DNA sequence: CGTCCGATTGACAGCTATCAATAAGAGTGG
DNA sequence: CCACTCTTATTGATAGCTGTCAATCGGACG
């Protein structure tokens, strides 16, 4: 139970969310009729995100399973920590994040979800975290049973999902290393680097050094195990050093090389394949 | 920003590993003849760990794929950060851990692997972390291709692997929350709680409050983003409070309830299903 | 009994959190 | 178009937790 004092910063945003829409007891299931959001034709979007490694025939079968779609406004939650959830979700469009909250209000953001991310997988069914949108979002939904059937029909799908989960695990591990062993400034630099890299790999997102981050300082802080003040100081410092500027939601990378250096990362290695130059050499 | 000085503690263990066996260019592939380690008949062990949800027929097919086995001594590495790895591993017996190392030697332990854990999955092939054993370990190995074939033959296997990966992700998330938002003492308590819980769920491990942890202080420290001194202080405090004692490798839980309290966790919720009492109530 | 490695404890420094005040924008309404 | 309000960002001062450095303890082993 957050003492009001400690809530004031860290949980500000979730308060907003709770006020401005918050929990959906029954998510808005848009069911089978195809819904278009922010200009995207969903039945087309799904393949492009999932399809690597699947044949066109496979994708036909996947679409034949008639996934349902959910659309959410910014600041709404798809599910909450503690919910009994037996669906698997694919984020088609928009930004969201997954987070855990301790009883006293401390919040940890676990992962930023960009289009193509899969979550809500099997397990016990009880969710250990919540998912909240940052922008308007569209999700594709499969029930556990439908997924199981689908995986039988389309073996490559299971393999692809494993790949996606493995990538998510790798992200979580990088994140963990950041929070556990990097300084505040390094963490901020590392997160910016991760986000620009992921965004640039997402279709229909910018490839140059400028982009829109639908985040507030407390999001970054809660992702990195810091306070928003510390994040602000780190960003100020990077602005002063002409490495990157983040004003409002506009992020400009001014010097990618030095950003990577500030993040304590070998750009070529870590953000292409995920490895550390130094350690790599030991392994050769 | 640790330089050589600070490496002395954090990376001590990996140095030892390097000296005492270290890298295996070509892991000891024990190939198809079944190998027995520490008294376990492997072909039997594999099913029991993987089989939930699979029919006996399914398991026959899995075994027919003739996985190879690898055995490692304590302190050896199955693979290193930067390795090109196209195998999937199942830990059959023993304890191990996965970790990442930054160029300057800072180390983050990402996950403790107990029997039943799966890793080394697809992705790009380049490993972003290393795996090092704590005890003697036996692994079951499938190549990427063999796994793919197997998943086609045994659809339930893919589903089971997804479940295992989802559980690993949930663990990583809990871990992240710990490192990001809990105090030193809470982190230590939380880790002990996680380990006793997992061990008690593993066949052939004790269910009472006493067990052997094949860890040294620096392992705990590097898992939690702390120093070994801080971990030591936290353990001393818990020993003084009669919550738990860890001497050498012998862990005794004296008061599970207060241990959970010290970890800032609702025992019934978090460690049965993974949820937080307070937030859960919101969701009902 | 001596050596060695890891654990333990103490003193102190430093990074980040906390508390507090101000600035900067974005809307809103007159 | 400007004043007003509200929210978020920014900056400063101080406190506290944890890291760092260093010394001692303790058990394992030969």
């Amino acid at each position: 139970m957050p003492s009001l004092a400690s809530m004031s910063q860290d949980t500000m945003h979730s308060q907003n969310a709770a006020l401005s829409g918050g929990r959906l007891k029954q998510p808005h299931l848009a069911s089978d009729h195809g819904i278009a959001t922010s200009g995207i034709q969903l039945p087309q979007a799904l393949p492009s995100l999932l399809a690597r490694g699947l044949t066109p025939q496979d994708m036909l079968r996947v679409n034949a399973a008639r996934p349902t779609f959910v659309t959410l406004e910014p600041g709404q939650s798809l599910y909450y920590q503690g919910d009994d959830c037996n669906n698997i979700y694919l984020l088609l469009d928009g930004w969201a994040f997954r987070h855990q909250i301790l009883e006293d209000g401390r919040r940890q953001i676990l992962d930023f979800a960009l289009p193509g991310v899969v979550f809500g997988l099997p397990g016990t069914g009880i969710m250990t975290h919540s998912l909240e949108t940052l922008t308007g979002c569209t999700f594709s939904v499969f029930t556990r049973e439908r997924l199981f059937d689908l995986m039988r029909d389309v073996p490559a799908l299971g393999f692809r999902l494993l790949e996606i989960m493995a990538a998510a695990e790798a992200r979580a591990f990088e994140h963990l290393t950041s929070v556990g062993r990097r300084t505040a400034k390094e963490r901020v630099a590392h997160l910016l680097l991760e986000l620009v890299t992921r965004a640039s790999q997402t279709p229909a997102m910018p490839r140059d050094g400028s982009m829109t981050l639908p985040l507030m300082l407390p999001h970054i802080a809660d992702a990195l195990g810091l306070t928003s003040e510390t994040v602000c100081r780190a960003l100020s410092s990077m602005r002063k050093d002409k490495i990157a500027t983040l004003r409002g939601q506009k992020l400009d990378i001014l010097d990618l090389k030095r950003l990577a250096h500030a993040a304590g990362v070998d750009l070529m290695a870590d953000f292409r394949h995920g490895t550390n130059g130094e350690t790599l050499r030991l392994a050769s």
Side-chain angles (χ1 to χ4, degrees), chain A residues 21-28 70-72 76-78 80 83:
Chain A
R23 166 158 203 78
L24 299 175
K25 297 280 174 103
Q26 313 254 339
H28 297 134
V70 181
T71 63
L72 292 182
Q76 289 187 313
S77 289
L78 184 60
Y80 281 76
D83 282 7

Side-chain angles (χ1 to χ4, degrees), chain A residues 9-10 217 221 226-236:
Chain A
Q9 296 261 354
D10 287 350
L217 256 29
L226 300 169
T227 62
S228 61
E229 292 93 328
T230 301
V231 172
C232 185
R233 282 183 241 272
L235 287 171
S236 298

Side-chain angles (χ1 to χ4, degrees), chain A residues 175-225:
Chain A
H175 193 169
L176 187 52
T177 298
S178 234
V179 174
R181 286 299 183 212
R182 281 193 241 259
T183 67
K185 198 172 167 184
E186 287 173 328
R187 292 184 218 181
V188 172
H190 192 268
L191 178 61
L192 294 185
L193 199 52
E194 181 203 322
L195 291 177
V196 291
T197 304
R198 289 177 63 193
S200 73
Q201 291 166 353
T202 301
M205 284 200 187
R207 171 66 196 138
D208 63 330
S210 178
M211 65 178 293
T212 296
L213 281 191
L215 304 175
M216 294 188 308
L217 256 29
H219 290 123
I220 301 177
D222 284 343
L224 299 178

